[in-house]
Amino acid sequence: MSNRPVIALTMGDAAGIGPEVVVKAAAHHDLASFCTPVVVGDLARLRRAAARCGVDVELEAVSDPRKAIPGRGRLAVLDVGGVPEDLPFGELSAAAGEAAYRFIERASALAVAGEVDAICTAPLNKEALHAAGHKFPGHTELLAHLTGTPEVSMMLTAPNLRVIHVTTHIGLVDAVDKIEPDLVYRTVRRGYDTLRKAGIEQPRIAVCGINPHAGENGLFGRGEEEQKITPGLEQARAEGIDALGPLPADTVFFRAGRGDFDLVVAMYHDQGHGPIKVMGLEAGVNITVGLPVIRTSVDHGTAFDIAGTGKADERSMVEAMRQAAELAAPEGAGAGA
């Protein structure tokens, strides 16, 4: 049992599909074959979600994640509580936002202390988080705050495609303003280092431009590629990193999908998120790069429209847990980052 990484699995927003994908993952997949999952959440809510989904899952409260006993159809639960018994599914709630924050806070503390090997997160709702007084754009920024990390990057994976973002949860105009050579370099470097740890000896990295056709030698835009991106790439290449660009975003994802590149560097949120979700939302995974702990997540939201119906698809959760376990393995052996 000891060679299986212990994964702190946060339940997410209790009004969303997080509790459902957690219990369905345990019911329908052999999680114990690659990790020891320990849910950080609310035990009563998980039982209610299991009943809604019609699945048989053994839920056992634990106080020490390292003493959890894995098994198919079995979940250890570190019962943080905080979810009102009558909380409806599918409705925005400050109480759910507060509970989701507490789940992440606890999981982060466990990971920093070495009591778990990685964190895997079910989705939270940004509005609910804000309603509870926690003004973070999402998990990525919240975990950076909780771990005292000044800068992190979001990496998304899907079948045949990996994307890391230079900017994420800001408006498009603000994103263009924020992009600068050092930030581009640091993002490329974080992506390169992550893939190296995952066992890819010489990652091939494609870097998107900002403008259509990557500016096409000054025909489009105001020279943003030359001013904001190229100097950062030159620094990366001087350190031996195989980083090609800036490249037109309208073709680079196709090229990456057919195997030309191991990683695409996107300049802003939708430039990278759109292709990933087209390639496979049900198997998409979000990895936070640059934290002192390993963190993966599903690549979907709280889905209030179907929450509580039992219809939620758990495959992204299973894949996120699998990648967390692989990244937590010694020297990242076999990691699918």
Side-chain angles (χ1 to χ4, degrees), residues 154-205:
M154 177 186 293
M155 181 184 289
L156 302 179
T157 74
N160 303 318
L161 183 62
R162 303 179 187 90
V163 179
I164 192 169
H165 292 70
V166 175
T167 68
T168 49
H169 296 122
I170 55 177
L172 184 55
V173 173
D174 294 330
V176 175
D177 285 342
K178 184 176 180 179
I179 296 166
E180 48 86 22
D182 284 346
L183 179 57
V184 170
Y185 162 74
R186 294 193 300 272
T187 305
V188 170
R189 181 87 238 182
R190 277 191 287 270
Y192 174 84
D193 290 344
T194 298
L195 295 191
R196 288 269 296 171
K197 290 177 183 176
I200 301 175
E201 289 189 13
Q202 292 297 328
R204 299 161 299 163
I205 300 174

Side-chain angles (χ1 to χ4, degrees), residues 8 10 40 102-114 116 119 142-148 293:
T10 61
V40 183
R102 297 301 169 195
F103 303 155
I104 290 294
E105 183 181 50
R106 186 69 172 275
S108 176
L110 290 170
V112 170
V116 298
I119 301 169
L142 174 54
L143 281 162
H145 168 74
L146 290 171
T147 59
V293 300

Side-chain angles (χ1 to χ4, degrees), residues 8-333:
L9 176 57
T10 61
M11 197 180 78
D13 190 298
I17 63 172
E20 293 169 74
V21 296
V22 167
V23 296
K24 290 178 80 171
H28 300 321
H29 305 268
D30 189 10
L31 305 180
S33 67
F34 59 85
C35 75
T36 299
V38 178
V39 184
V40 183
D42 185 285
L43 182 57
R45 192 65 169 187
L46 290 166
R47 286 174 173 157
R48 186 176 175 188
R52 289 288 184 103
C53 295
V55 297
D56 184 16
V57 179
E58 182 183 351
L59 299 166
E60 179 186 11
V62 299
S63 57
D64 183 350
R66 293 290 178 189
K67 294 181 179 179
I69 301 173
R72 181 151 195 165
R74 176 188 180 92
L75 276 176
V77 182
L78 203 161
D79 188 16
V80 177
V83 178
E85 186 176 351
D86 59 351
L87 181 79
F89 283 99
E91 294 183 16
L92 186 72
S93 164
E98 178 64 28
Y101 177 86
R102 297 301 169 195
F103 303 155
I104 290 294
E105 183 181 50
R106 186 69 172 275
S108 176
L110 290 170
V112 170
E115 295 180 40
V116 298
D117 299 306
I119 301 169
C120 182
T121 61
L124 53 72
N125 184 280
K126 297 176 181 64
E127 288 186 64
L129 190 68
H130 286 203
H134 305 292
K135 306 298 184 181
F136 297 94
H139 269 124
T140 302
E141 297 82 3
L142 174 54
L143 281 162
H145 168 74
L146 290 171
T147 59
T149 308
E151 185 177 270
V152 296
S153 296
M154 177 186 293
M155 181 184 289
L156 302 179
T157 74
N160 303 318
L161 183 62
R162 303 179 187 90
V163 179
I164 192 169
H165 292 70
V166 175
T167 68
T168 49
H169 296 122
I170 55 177
L172 184 55
V173 173
D174 294 330
V176 175
D177 285 342
K178 184 176 180 179
I179 296 166
E180 48 86 22
D182 284 346
L183 179 57
V184 170
Y185 162 74
R186 294 193 300 272
T187 305
V188 170
R189 181 87 238 182
R190 277 191 287 270
Y192 174 84
D193 290 344
T194 298
L195 295 191
R196 288 269 296 171
K197 290 177 183 176
I200 301 175
E201 289 189 13
Q202 292 297 328
R204 299 161 299 163
I205 300 174
V207 181
C208 293
I210 298 171
N211 294 297
H213 300 240
E216 199 156 313
N217 298 316
L219 290 179
F220 306 117
R222 301 175 182 177
E224 288 87 356
E225 280 74 19
E226 291 76 13
Q227 296 166 17
K228 293 173 171 287
I229 301 176
T230 299
L233 297 188
E234 290 174 349
Q235 182 178 353
R237 288 193 284 261
E239 297 179 4
I241 298 175
D242 183 3
L244 186 63
L247 298 173
D250 60 354
T251 56
V252 73
F253 293 100
F254 166 76
R255 294 179 61 189
R258 74 181 182 188
D260 291 359
F261 305 110
D262 299 302
L263 177 67
V264 176
V265 179
M267 291 295 121
Y268 51 89
H269 185 281
D270 286 12
Q271 188 181 60
H273 276 63
I276 280 284
K277 292 185 178 182
V278 168
M279 292 292 283
L281 181 62
E282 72 284 347
V285 175
N286 181 339
I287 303 171
T288 305
V289 178
L291 291 172
V293 300
I294 294 167
R295 179 261 174 164
T296 67
S297 181
V298 295
D299 188 28
H300 59 71
T302 48
F304 279 173
D305 57 324
I306 61 168
T309 66
K311 296 178 181 178
D313 190 321
E314 78 281 3
R315 285 177 291 175
S316 180
M317 172 57 73
V318 174
E319 185 59 25
M321 294 184 69
R322 189 183 308 279
Q323 292 201 28
E326 290 175 344
L327 288 168
E331 299 181 0

